[in-house]
Amino acid sequence: RVPHTAYGHDIPCVKSQGLVNMSPHKIAELLMDSSKVKSYNKHSQGRSDKIVWQTGIDTTEGPFGKGETKVVRSTNKAPLVRKPLEFICLMHARQIQDIDHGILPGSYVVVARTVSGPVTRDTESSRPSVPNEVLLNVHLLKAVQGKPKQTNMININHLKSPIVPMMVAQKVGLTSASGFLNDIRSLSAK
């Protein structure tokens, strides 16, 4: 649980961490590529880019600053839940470094947060879906000194769904976090 009483404090926040045998750059590109979501998310029913403001995770002086920024619509099928879960999120990825805090050059961050507005109207799906909320989704992809094809991947997920019971959310959150890390690792073996 989040240690405060603000919005979402009563919902599980899940952190996972592990080493992945793939460069931080390659993982960041993978996470931002909507066409590849199903390769690492077993529950995904697809993700599409709705608005793309800026492409290129290595962009340094774009009109929207550093990195890649877009709005995506994704649909997932969670275990024990009959309706698909829909998420409309602002996603951003860019290179970061903060040597004082152990974040070496070649590290990346990918963040996502639910947004609302005209793009959130469901005109594509024939199946009704339930709107859900990504309170925070962060992937810190830290470069490993002397190992350019290895990443220390730290993930934080804080999701809210009105149709997923709290008991199920806790169990699915933990299972999904380790499954996500293992699925990313399996892609690095290919």
Side-chain angles (χ1 to χ4, degrees), residues 1 18 27 47 51 58 76 88 129-130 132 137 149 156 158 164 169:
R1 296 197 187 269
I27 296 173
R47 184 176 86 194
I51 301 169
D58 291 314
N76 293 282
I88 307 290
S129 61
V130 175
N132 299 276
N137 186 309
K149 293 186 178 181
I156 297 173
H158 196 193
V164 178

Side-chain angles (χ1 to χ4, degrees), residues 72-74 76 85-89 132-134 159-160:
V72 299
R73 176 187 180 273
S74 63
N76 293 282
L85 306 177
E86 179 185 67
F87 298 94
I88 307 290
C89 295
N132 299 276
E133 199 169 357
V134 174
L159 310 175
K160 180 180 181 181

Side-chain angles (χ1 to χ4, degrees), residues 107-184:
S107 297
Y108 288 80
V109 65
V110 179
V111 296
R113 174 82 170 93
T114 291
V115 293
S116 60
V119 76
T120 62
R121 292 192 197 103
D122 186 8
T123 57
E124 300 174 7
S125 176
S126 59
R127 292 176 58 184
S129 61
V130 175
N132 299 276
E133 199 169 357
V134 174
L135 300 173
L136 181 65
N137 186 309
V138 177
H139 306 283
L140 179 58
L141 309 169
K142 294 173 67 175
V144 177
Q145 181 117 20
K147 297 183 179 182
K149 293 186 178 181
Q150 194 171 65
T151 302
N152 180 6
M153 185 174 192
I154 302 167
N155 307 298
I156 297 173
N157 299 297
H158 196 193
L159 310 175
K160 180 180 181 181
S161 175
I163 63 168
V164 178
M166 189 61 69
M167 184 178 84
V168 173
Q170 290 172 338
K171 183 174 179 155
V172 169
L174 292 172
T175 304
S176 295
S178 66
F180 172 76
L181 203 49
N182 289 332
D183 291 343
I184 295 286

Side-chain angles (χ1 to χ4, degrees), residues 16 71 93 145:
S16 61
V71 174
Q145 181 117 20

